[in-house]
Amino acid sequence: MKTLYRQFTIATLFILAISILIGFTIANIFYITVTKEETIEQNVGVAQEIVATVQNVPYSEESFDRYMQAVAKLGYQIALVDNAGDMKFYGEPFDDTAFPEEAQRVLTENGTYTGLDSFKDQIFMIGHFTNELHNTVGVPFERDGENYGLFIRPDTKLLGTDIHSVLIGFVVAIGLVSIIGMIWLARQLTRPIVQLTEATKHIARENYNYPLDIKRNDEIGQLSESFNLMQTQLQQNDLARKSFISNVSHDFQSPLMNIQGYADLLKSPDLPDADRLAYTSIIDQEAKRLSSLTRQLLLLTSLDQGAYPMKSKEFKLDEQLKAVVRKYRWRLEEEDINLSYSLAPTLFRGDAELLDNVWDNLLTNAIKYNKPGGSIEIALKTIGPDVIVTFKDTGTGIAAEALPQLFDRFYRGDAARKKDGTGLGLSIVEQIVQLHHGTIKVNSKIGEGSEFILTLPHSDVKQT
Ligand code: ADP
């Protein structure tokens, strides 16, 4: 695998190499266009200066040599060539003393020789540093009636001054510090990514407690914060899933045990008829409970998947509510509960089948948790674009501390445990209301009753 760290380091070194190349090219262009000509002119000037000095003064041979050596010490390599081709050198020796053809004209035609120009074959300014007689400037001069050629070039070794060493040290230090800095930065950037990868592996193994301690004030810091948030969320989901499974198993287990127990008792041949009837009706009740639990679980699961295929159509909401009331009329009479309603005729667009579950749940709860002789009021009205449905009962009421869990799956109030139920009804109601982009609120006072207020927005709401 190509690690990010390796890629980053290679990319940095590559950029460094490219920058050196570009820097070198720019320096060369500058040298070729500006510096080279200036250097040649400068050197020719120096050579002419020397010639002007020695030509007019009748130096002895010894004094002449001393003068030339003194000039050489100032930082020049000098070659003195006479007509016969004899050469005399001052200063640092040349690596190559071959006398160039073109330089001959200094002696024959009194011309000037600029050797740097002939170094076109050398790459860029490297030619400037070539220590050869070829790479000099030459001027003619006359001494004691004889023609000479004076060829000089700056001694590049002597050109390296203290400042140059300091500058080179400076550049090398910058280079080193940059490389070390880049490597350090690459490590800093990749370390949290390695930590994050490790953490994802733990999550894949369902370990949601992996401590990811990355405190940074940048995008990686944000990523790690989101990661920790996701970890907490996954942990909660995992707990919810486990408790859901345990609740479901428990809720299936107890009616099944009851059915099994009473079915065993029924096998006894001398069982009195009255007991037989009682046991059969318990089995019947428990089977119904199981069936309703399965139905509700199936509905919840399909709603949970988030892609529930809503079968929206326009229907008369008031008629639907009346039909639900009709369905439970016998139970209301049995429990001696008085039900009244005020339903404004309303056309509503939504999933009628799902909403039927909502009214069914709210009405059965209002009956189940009511008191004998109590009452229920159902109202339907339209306020602006919202349809408001309320179910108000004079039942047991809900304790304030129970309200936050009311819509949780399998939540059942203490008093409710004596009654039939699964604890899934209100969570289904809430999901369906949310699917219709609505809200549900509860006002309740213990001992006085409860009021469930549903707001279902719909732009297509019409009064009929
Ligand atoms: P279930 O009725 O099957 O227990 P629900 O999800 O419908 O489950 O209701 C959850 C709990 O909320 C009930 O167990 C009960 O304690 C409480 N509850 C719901 N509706 C009412 C109501 N109208 N009056 C009093 N308590 C209620």
Side-chain angles (χ1 to χ4, degrees), residues 51 54-55 64 79-88 99 103-111 139-151:
V51 167
V54 289
Q55 210 159 229
F64 178 79
L80 201 65
V81 186
D82 66 14
N83 254 340
D86 288 335
M87 297 180 198
K88 209 165 182 188
F99 192 60
Q104 198 61 45
R105 62 191 201 92
V106 176
L107 292 148
T108 53
E109 296 165 28
N110 259 0
V139 290
F141 84 100
E142 209 189 298
R143 190 165 169 257
D144 300 334
E146 267 207 61
N147 281 341
Y148 290 92
L150 179 80
F151 297 87

Side-chain angles (χ1 to χ4, degrees), residues 265-266 268-282:
L265 289 177
L266 280 177
S268 160
D270 352 288
L271 196 69
D273 277 352
D275 286 353
R276 192 175 295 277
L277 205 69
Y279 297 165
T280 323
S281 78
I282 291 173

Side-chain angles (χ1 to χ4, degrees), residues 243-433:
S243 97
F244 183 76
I245 293 172
S246 109
N247 279 327
V248 170
S249 319
H250 175 263
D251 276 51
F252 270 92
Q253 192 61 20
S254 48
L256 279 173
M257 297 246 298
N258 282 346
I259 291 174
Q260 202 180 17
Y262 285 109
D264 273 348
L265 289 177
L266 280 177
K267 283 183 200 154
S268 160
D270 352 288
L271 196 69
D273 277 352
D275 286 353
R276 192 175 295 277
L277 205 69
Y279 297 165
T280 323
S281 78
I282 291 173
I283 291 177
D284 181 54
Q285 246 176 32
E286 294 294 65
K288 278 192 185 127
R289 199 171 140 201
L290 274 179
S291 142
S292 119
L293 188 66
T294 322
R295 196 176 55 85
Q296 284 185 314
L297 275 175
L298 280 174
L299 181 62
L300 251 185
T301 321
S302 61
L303 290 175
D304 256 355
Q305 279 156 14
Y308 184 83
M310 288 265 287
K311 293 183 264 335
S312 279
K313 63 170 190 209
E314 213 164 63
F315 64 96
K316 289 181 176 165
L317 193 53
D318 50 310
E319 291 299 332
Q320 187 181 48
L321 282 161
K322 279 181 202 157
V324 178
V325 170
R326 268 198 302 277
K327 193 161 97 186
Y328 288 100
R329 188 58 76 190
W330 64 272
R331 239 184 109 182
L332 290 163
E333 275 165 24
E334 204 176 71
E335 312 249 345
D336 190 22
I337 294 170
N338 178 37
L339 186 140
S340 63
Y341 53 68
S342 143
L343 307 173
T346 307
L347 258 187
F348 183 77
R349 178 170 281 280
D351 191 318
E353 208 177 302
L354 284 186
L355 285 169
D356 199 50
N357 276 289
V358 172
W359 318 134
D360 196 296
N361 266 305
L362 291 177
L363 184 57
T364 46
N365 279 352
I367 300 172
K368 243 191 320 186
Y369 305 114
N370 220 316
K371 295 177 227 158
S375 67
I376 299 173
E377 278 169 40
I378 305 176
L380 163 66
K381 60 186 175 215
T382 300
I383 300 178
D386 293 333
V387 170
I388 317 280
V389 184
T390 45
F391 277 72
K392 194 170 176 193
D393 63 60
T394 53
T396 54
I398 303 158
E401 57 274 16
L403 286 175
Q405 299 125 273
L406 202 65
F407 296 96
D408 288 355
R409 284 168 196 194
F410 294 106
Y411 171 77
R412 302 205 68 201
D414 289 336
R417 289 180 204 284
K418 286 180 228 133
K419 317 225 175 205
D420 270 3
T422 58
L424 291 175
L426 283 183
S427 61
I428 291 176
V429 167
E430 191 186 39
Q431 290 243 33
I432 296 175
V433 169

